[in-house]
């Protein structure tokens, strides 16, 4: 029924958090995953961003593997509507799928339970206690209680770098901010209309962190969603609103300023300290190695995963925020957190041996044609 102290504590139950928790648990560690909402998957499921973007480079090569591939296959494992592509290279289509968000969320929850991860749903992070540049415990709150949980290592998979911010890490905000988005399902099919980048004159005006501003984003998206739906008439047979986002569809809010800022200049560059590889969903052919310096700051037992890892600018941020990259960085963060309570002591050879045992590729030169 849960404990007061864990080997690894993950904050955030999106794709990065789930990947981190699975990765750490597979190192035989006790793991707690904390999620503020009452379902897993984050933007992918609750936010209806239901495209599992490519694992491949668009030129016929699989780049991301491991948990990134495992979760892609899980997302459609019980879904006969959205089949997997038959091969890595197809005309005008990369290796990606669209999934049912509710089903995927339930499958993620089942997967974590099967692998022994403790999960706290409906639980928010409200404070962090630190000592000598390390986190000792987290202050958490549910709708009816407040309590503390301790851990040896911690992973920030909040998407907003909230754990890192509370721990005193240097963070950065998006330069371009976020555009209004209001994807929804009508008659059980995803509808976008003018939502997000489909709008001709998209205005990027939402930072997505301040309470009233974030509420304005949600209320504005609700108004736009209702307007677009009713423009086609009132609810009736064949015209039904079946699902709306349950979290703000904010892509880029706050990230850590880590020991290494990933940038577009790192395209195809070798990184000795790489802990994963991933493709760009934006441009065919672009692929990157993930140095562990992008996952760490000054807090010795804290690792970042997902869309709040360290990047140089919004262009690279836009690449690393995708589902496959969140899974790659999550698996890396989980492995690192399960192995080293102090990231000053990381021996990359040991990490690479563990990655070899998992069949993970961490240098682009090792990909087979």
């Amino acid at each position: 029924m849960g404990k007061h102290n864990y080997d690894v504590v993950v904050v955030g139950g999106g794709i990065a958090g789930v990947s981190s928790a699975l990765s750490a648990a597979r190192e035989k560690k006790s793991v707690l995953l904390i999620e503020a909402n009452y379902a897993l998957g984050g933007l992918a499921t609750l936010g209806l961003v239901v495209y599992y973007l490519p694992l491949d480079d668009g030129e016929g090569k699989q780049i991301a593997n491991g948990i990134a591939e495992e979760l892609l296959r899980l997302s459609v494992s019980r879904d006969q509507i959205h089949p997997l592509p038959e091969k890595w290279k197809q005309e005008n289509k990369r290796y990606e799928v669209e999934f049912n968000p509710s089903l995927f969320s339930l499958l993620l929850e089942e997967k974590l339970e099967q692998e022994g991860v403790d999960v706290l749903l409906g639980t928010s992070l409200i404070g962090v206690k630190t000592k000598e540049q390390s986190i000792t415990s987290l202050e958490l709150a549910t709708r009816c209680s407040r309590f503390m949980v301790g851990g040896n290592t911690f992973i920030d998979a909040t998407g907003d770098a909230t754990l890192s911010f509370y721990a005193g890490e240097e963070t950065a905000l998006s330069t371009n901010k976020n555009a209004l988005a209001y994807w929804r399902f009508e008659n059980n099919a995803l509808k976008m209309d003018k939502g997000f980048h489909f709008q001709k004159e998209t205005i990027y005006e939402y930072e997505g962190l301040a309470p009233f501003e974030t509420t304005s984003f949600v209320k504005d998206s609700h108004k736009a969603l209702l307007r677009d739906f009713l423009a086609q008439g009132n609810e009736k047979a064949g015209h039904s609103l079946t699902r709306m986002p349950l979290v703000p569809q904010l892509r880029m809010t706050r990230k850590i300023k880590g020991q290494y800022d990933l940038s577009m200049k790192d395209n195809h560059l070798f990184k000795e300290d790489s802990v994963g590889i991933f493709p760009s969903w934006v441009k065919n052919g672009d692929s990157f190695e993930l140095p562990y310096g992008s996952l760490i700051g000054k807090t010795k037992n804290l690792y970042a995963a997902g869309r709040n890892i360290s990047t140089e600018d919004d262009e690279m941020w836009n690449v690393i925020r995708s589902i496959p990259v969140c899974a790659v960085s999550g698996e890396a963060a989980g492995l690192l957190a399960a192995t080293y309570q102090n990231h000053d002591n990381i021996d990359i050879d040991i990490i690479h041996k563990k990655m070899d045992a998992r069949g993970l590729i961490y240098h682009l030169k090792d990909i087979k044609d």
Side-chain angles (χ1 to χ4, degrees):
M1 296 299 294
K3 303 185 295 185
H4 296 293
N5 199 82
Y6 288 82
D7 293 324
V8 180
V9 178
V10 183
V11 183
I15 299 302
V18 169
S19 301
S20 297
L22 289 172
S23 181
R26 290 172 182 178
E27 292 299 304
K28 310 302 181 185
K29 301 297 182 180
S30 62
V31 180
L32 174 66
L33 177 66
I34 300 164
E35 167 55 40
N37 297 288
Y38 282 91
L40 299 173
L43 272 174
T45 59
L46 300 177
L48 305 187
V49 183
V50 299
Y51 290 106
Y52 206 116
L53 288 170
L55 302 180
D56 68 282
D57 63 355
E59 297 177 350
K61 293 181 181 179
Q62 179 182 3
I63 304 298
N65 69 338
I67 290 176
E69 181 178 355
E70 183 180 344
L71 293 187
L72 177 140
R73 295 184 182 281
L74 180 67
S75 73
V76 292
S77 61
R78 302 287 183 171
D79 186 348
Q80 296 183 350
I81 299 175
H82 304 109
L84 280 168
E86 295 180 357
K87 52 187 177 180
W88 288 105
K89 187 173 184 179
Q90 299 180 83
E91 186 177 357
N92 300 321
K93 183 174 176 60
R94 292 173 65 176
Y95 200 88
E96 61 182 273
V97 295
E98 180 183 339
F99 53 82
N100 179 297
S102 297
L103 180 58
F104 189 26
S105 181
L106 295 173
L107 291 171
L108 291 172
E109 189 172 325
E110 179 183 61
K111 184 68 173 173
L112 289 173
E113 183 174 0
Q114 290 172 344
E115 302 215 15
V117 175
D118 285 352
V119 176
L120 276 175
L121 299 175
T123 303
S124 298
L125 174 69
I126 60 173
V128 175
K129 288 192 175 182
T130 62
K131 182 179 180 180
E132 298 176 350
Q133 286 193 310
S134 292
I135 297 173
T136 58
S137 59
L138 307 180
E139 184 177 6
L140 306 171
T142 66
R143 55 187 294 273
C144 56
S145 65
R146 292 172 61 175
F147 57 101
M148 306 293 294
V149 167
N152 295 330
T153 53
F154 298 82
I155 297 175
D156 185 345
T158 61
D160 303 313
T162 304
L163 174 55
S164 301
F165 179 77
Y166 283 175
E169 288 290 331
E170 182 182 359
T171 59
L173 306 178
S174 170
T175 302
N176 293 327
K177 299 187 177 182
N178 292 270
L180 187 67
Y182 46 97
W183 298 6
R184 77 277 187 187
F185 276 72
E186 293 182 21
N187 304 314
N188 290 315
L190 183 65
K191 295 280 287 187
M192 300 177 194
D193 291 352
K194 297 178 181 178
F196 198 49
H197 55 277
F198 295 85
Q199 192 173 340
K200 289 184 178 179
E201 297 180 358
T202 302
I203 301 174
Y204 293 82
E205 58 182 338
Y206 299 93
E207 185 178 276
L209 290 172
F212 281 99
E213 193 235 26
T214 301
T215 298
S216 294
F217 176 96
V218 173
K219 291 175 66 177
D220 289 346
S221 70
H222 288 173
K223 289 176 183 176
L225 191 158
L226 181 62
R227 179 199 65 218
D228 285 1
F229 176 74
L230 294 180
Q232 303 170 55
N234 292 333
E235 181 111 1
K236 59 185 178 181
H239 176 53
S240 178
L241 182 61
T242 54
R243 194 176 306 153
M244 58 186 278
L246 298 179
V247 296
Q249 293 175 329
L250 294 159
R251 266 73 167 179
M252 299 184 290
T253 52
R254 182 171 56 196
K255 60 184 177 180
I256 68 166
K257 291 294 292 180
Q259 296 186 11
Y260 187 86
D261 282 338
L262 267 173
S263 77
M264 300 305 293
K265 296 189 291 290
D266 290 313
N267 185 24
H268 284 105
L269 291 187
F270 176 86
K271 304 291 180 183
E272 183 63 41
D273 64 342
S274 175
V275 288
I277 56 175
F278 60 89
S280 167
W281 67 273
V282 179
K283 182 181 178 183
N284 287 0
D286 284 3
S287 296
F288 301 84
E289 297 191 3
L290 175 66
Y292 69 71
S294 297
L295 310 183
I296 58 177
K298 63 183 181 181
T299 307
K300 297 182 183 300
N301 63 343
L302 175 62
Y303 300 84
R307 58 190 174 93
N308 49 208
I309 69 173
S310 190
T311 60
E312 182 178 80
D313 53 29
D314 279 9
E315 187 178 10
M316 191 66 202
W317 198 348
N318 190 41
V319 173
I320 63 93
R321 69 171 178 79
S322 69
I323 291 176
V325 189
C326 286
V328 168
S329 63
E331 181 161 15
L335 180 57
L336 288 165
T339 308
Y340 293 102
Q341 295 181 32
N342 183 339
H343 58 55
D344 288 345
N345 300 326
I346 292 175
D347 184 332
I348 194 61
D349 289 334
I350 290 176
I351 295 300
H352 284 170
K353 287 178 182 178
K354 290 191 173 188
M355 295 183 73
D356 289 338
R358 294 187 181 194
L360 297 173
I361 301 173
Y362 41 88
H363 291 310
L364 292 169
K365 64 181 179 62
D366 295 325
I367 295 177
K368 297 178 180 179
D369 291 331

